[in-house]
Amino acid sequence: MVATPHKILFSREQIAAEVNRLGQEISQDYGDREIILIGVLKGSFLFIADLIREIDSPAVVDFVRLASYGSDTQSSGIIEFRKELEMPIRDRDCIIVEDIIDSGYTLECLYHKLLLQQPRSLKICTLIDKRGRREVAIDADYVGIRMEDGFIIGYGLDQDERYRNLPDIHLVEDV
Ligand code: IMP
Ligand code: MG
């Protein structure tokens, strides 16, 4: 399916303002403590790149790669780990950086897996919190934008691997 000009739902200016706010909140909460930002590939690559530049606290980056089986637009709840963390996180302050929380399965799975490695603290930061289709009770500590439902693309978010390069976030109306 070709997603030709879809309506802009969140503009690049709005995204930048929210990312700036999140960076300030995180910097205030952590101060001089070093944070490990754990990006969830691939969707969060642009968000984490912008977010880390808005954080004044010392910060290092690592990535995990997860894939959830299912259709393009619906998570199945079966999560596959395709890339593990490279840094030890025991006794470290960690923040998971996600592009979007939808059903919540991906994050719940990752969160509990990381907890087993005994970080000093483990928080969740998501650019988008899609609340309407949540199936497991998991909440982010830092939320950029809240929305109810709908499939979105752009700013790292894909439809079948495409459209990650759109600078704004668009609503796909024909899924
Ligand atoms: P969850 O396990 O259902 O919470 O799914 C989260 C993952 O599904 C995200 O990390 C995205 O990769 C993908 N996803 C969920 N909603 C959207 C969307 O609206 N656009 C693009 N990807 C999405
Ligand atoms: Mg993702």
Side-chain angles (χ1 to χ4, degrees):
M1 187 191 323
V2 182
T4 28
H6 286 295
K7 185 175 125 199
I8 291 181
L9 193 59
F10 308 121
S11 70
R12 63 196 80 184
E13 293 81 12
Q14 186 180 355
I15 296 166
E18 297 301 337
V19 174
N20 173 275
R21 174 182 60 78
L22 289 172
Q24 286 183 22
E25 278 180 28
I26 290 170
S27 305
Q28 273 168 19
D29 290 354
Y30 288 81
D32 292 334
R33 279 151 63 201
E34 186 173 75
I35 311 165
I36 302 187
L37 294 177
I38 301 172
V40 183
L41 293 171
K42 302 176 194 170
S44 69
F45 77 110
L46 290 179
F47 176 42
I48 198 169
D50 286 340
L51 180 67
I52 195 166
R53 284 178 283 181
E54 302 288 351
I55 294 177
D56 300 320
S57 308
V60 298
V61 183
D62 204 350
F63 292 98
V64 291
R65 166 102 171 95
L66 301 169
S68 66
Y69 289 101
S71 69
D72 262 18
T73 56
Q74 187 94 45
S75 181
S76 63
I78 301 168
I79 314 295
E80 182 196 357
F81 276 80
R82 295 198 179 155
K83 185 203 169 302
E84 305 277 341
L85 275 182
E86 291 170 20
M87 279 176 189
I89 61 168
R90 195 187 167 99
D91 295 329
R92 309 286 304 271
D93 292 306
C94 303
I95 304 179
I96 299 171
V97 180
E98 253 289 29
D99 50 353
I100 185 165
I101 312 177
D102 185 14
S103 69
Y105 285 128
T106 306
L107 207 51
E108 191 194 41
C109 176
L110 177 62
Y111 186 83
H112 289 103
K113 189 178 152 95
L114 294 182
L115 267 191
L116 295 176
Q117 298 180 35
Q118 301 181 306
R120 176 161 46 188
S121 64
L122 182 60
K123 293 200 174 182
I124 297 169
C125 175
T126 188
L127 178 65
I128 310 282
D129 186 5
K130 204 198 283 187
R131 307 194 65 86
R133 297 203 308 181
R134 195 63 45 82
E135 289 182 33
V136 294
I138 190 147
D139 273 318
D141 303 280
Y142 303 100
V143 176
I145 301 170
R146 291 187 171 79
M147 65 184 282
E148 220 17 61
D149 204 357
F151 195 81
I152 54 178
I153 52 173
Y155 194 70
L157 290 155
D158 71 305
Q159 183 182 28
D160 224 356
E161 293 301 329
R162 299 203 171 82
Y163 314 113
R164 295 192 196 273
N165 53 326
L166 297 174
D168 308 285
I169 292 179
H170 302 247
L171 182 66
V172 178
E173 280 146 310
D174 48 5
V175 288

Short mmCIF file of all heavy atoms in Angstrom, two decimals, residues 10-13 15 46 154-155 163-170:
data_model
loop_
_atom_site.label_atom_id
_atom_site.label_comp_id
_atom_site.label_asym_id
_atom_site.label_seq_id
_atom_site.Cartn_x
_atom_site.Cartn_y
_atom_site.Cartn_z
N PHE A 10 1.32 15.28 13.98
CA PHE A 10 2.21 15.99 14.89
C PHE A 10 3.34 16.58 14.05
O PHE A 10 4.09 15.84 13.41
CB PHE A 10 2.77 15.06 15.96
CG PHE A 10 1.71 14.27 16.69
CD1 PHE A 10 1.72 12.88 16.68
CD2 PHE A 10 0.69 14.92 17.39
CE1 PHE A 10 0.74 12.15 17.35
CE2 PHE A 10 -0.30 14.20 18.05
CZ PHE A 10 -0.28 12.81 18.03
N SER A 11 3.45 17.88 14.08
CA SER A 11 4.44 18.55 13.23
C SER A 11 5.84 18.43 13.83
O SER A 11 6.01 18.16 15.02
CB SER A 11 4.08 20.03 13.11
OG SER A 11 4.30 20.66 14.36
N ARG A 12 6.84 18.68 12.99
CA ARG A 12 8.22 18.62 13.46
C ARG A 12 8.47 19.64 14.59
O ARG A 12 9.25 19.38 15.49
CB ARG A 12 9.20 18.83 12.30
CG ARG A 12 9.10 20.17 11.63
CD ARG A 12 9.79 20.17 10.28
NE ARG A 12 8.96 19.57 9.26
CZ ARG A 12 9.36 19.37 7.99
NH1 ARG A 12 10.56 19.72 7.62
NH2 ARG A 12 8.53 18.84 7.12
N GLU A 13 7.77 20.77 14.53
CA GLU A 13 7.94 21.78 15.58
C GLU A 13 7.38 21.26 16.91
O GLU A 13 7.96 21.46 17.98
CB GLU A 13 7.24 23.09 15.21
CG GLU A 13 7.85 23.83 14.02
CD GLU A 13 7.42 23.28 12.65
OE1 GLU A 13 6.47 22.46 12.59
OE2 GLU A 13 8.06 23.65 11.65
N ILE A 15 6.97 18.12 17.75
CA ILE A 15 7.83 17.03 18.21
C ILE A 15 9.07 17.62 18.90
O ILE A 15 9.43 17.20 20.00
CB ILE A 15 8.27 16.13 17.03
CG1 ILE A 15 7.05 15.43 16.43
CG2 ILE A 15 9.32 15.12 17.48
CD1 ILE A 15 7.31 14.77 15.07
N LEU A 46 15.58 8.09 15.61
CA LEU A 46 15.59 9.56 15.48
C LEU A 46 15.27 10.22 16.81
O LEU A 46 15.88 11.22 17.19
CB LEU A 46 14.55 10.01 14.43
CG LEU A 46 14.89 9.65 12.99
CD1 LEU A 46 13.78 10.12 12.05
CD2 LEU A 46 16.22 10.28 12.58
N GLY A 154 6.37 8.18 10.21
CA GLY A 154 7.27 9.34 10.17
C GLY A 154 8.06 9.48 11.45
O GLY A 154 7.75 8.86 12.47
N TYR A 155 9.15 10.27 11.39
CA TYR A 155 10.03 10.49 12.54
C TYR A 155 10.44 9.15 13.16
O TYR A 155 10.34 8.95 14.36
CB TYR A 155 9.36 11.42 13.56
CG TYR A 155 10.32 11.98 14.59
CD1 TYR A 155 11.28 12.93 14.26
CD2 TYR A 155 10.27 11.55 15.91
CE1 TYR A 155 12.15 13.43 15.20
CE2 TYR A 155 11.14 12.05 16.87
CZ TYR A 155 12.08 12.98 16.50
OH TYR A 155 12.95 13.48 17.45
N TYR A 163 8.81 5.11 5.26
CA TYR A 163 8.36 6.41 5.79
C TYR A 163 9.06 6.84 7.08
O TYR A 163 8.68 7.83 7.68
CB TYR A 163 6.84 6.45 6.00
CG TYR A 163 6.08 5.91 4.83
CD1 TYR A 163 5.34 4.74 4.94
CD2 TYR A 163 6.14 6.54 3.60
CE1 TYR A 163 4.67 4.21 3.86
CE2 TYR A 163 5.48 6.02 2.50
CZ TYR A 163 4.75 4.86 2.63
OH TYR A 163 4.09 4.34 1.56
N ARG A 164 10.09 6.09 7.52
CA ARG A 164 10.77 6.50 8.74
C ARG A 164 11.41 7.88 8.58
O ARG A 164 11.68 8.57 9.56
CB ARG A 164 11.87 5.49 9.10
CG ARG A 164 11.37 4.10 9.46
CD ARG A 164 12.51 3.29 10.06
NE ARG A 164 12.25 1.86 10.10
CZ ARG A 164 11.60 1.22 11.09
NH1 ARG A 164 11.15 1.91 12.12
NH2 ARG A 164 11.43 -0.07 11.05
N ASN A 165 11.70 8.25 7.34
CA ASN A 165 12.42 9.49 7.06
C ASN A 165 11.53 10.73 7.00
O ASN A 165 12.04 11.83 6.84
CB ASN A 165 13.21 9.36 5.76
CG ASN A 165 12.34 8.91 4.59
OD1 ASN A 165 11.41 8.13 4.79
ND2 ASN A 165 12.62 9.40 3.41
N LEU A 166 10.24 10.58 7.13
CA LEU A 166 9.39 11.78 7.13
C LEU A 166 9.69 12.61 8.38
O LEU A 166 9.69 12.08 9.48
CB LEU A 166 7.90 11.38 7.11
CG LEU A 166 7.41 10.61 5.88
CD1 LEU A 166 5.97 10.18 6.07
CD2 LEU A 166 7.56 11.46 4.62
N PRO A 167 9.90 13.90 8.23
CA PRO A 167 10.25 14.73 9.40
C PRO A 167 9.08 14.97 10.36
O PRO A 167 9.30 15.26 11.53
CB PRO A 167 10.71 16.06 8.78
CG PRO A 167 10.94 15.78 7.33
CD PRO A 167 10.03 14.65 6.97
N ASP A 168 7.85 14.90 9.85
CA ASP A 168 6.67 15.07 10.70
C ASP A 168 6.03 13.70 10.91
O ASP A 168 6.36 12.74 10.22
CB ASP A 168 5.65 16.00 10.03
CG ASP A 168 6.25 17.31 9.58
OD1 ASP A 168 6.51 18.17 10.44
OD2 ASP A 168 6.50 17.46 8.36
N ILE A 169 5.10 13.63 11.84
CA ILE A 169 4.35 12.38 12.03
C ILE A 169 2.99 12.52 11.37
O ILE A 169 2.26 13.49 11.60
CB ILE A 169 4.23 12.04 13.53
CG1 ILE A 169 5.62 11.68 14.09
CG2 ILE A 169 3.25 10.88 13.74
CD1 ILE A 169 5.63 11.34 15.57
N HIS A 170 2.68 11.53 10.52
CA HIS A 170 1.45 11.56 9.74
C HIS A 170 0.52 10.44 10.18
O HIS A 170 0.97 9.36 10.54
CB HIS A 170 1.75 11.36 8.25
CG HIS A 170 2.70 12.37 7.67
ND1 HIS A 170 2.31 13.29 6.72
CD2 HIS A 170 4.01 12.60 7.92
CE1 HIS A 170 3.36 14.04 6.40
NE2 HIS A 170 4.39 13.65 7.10
#
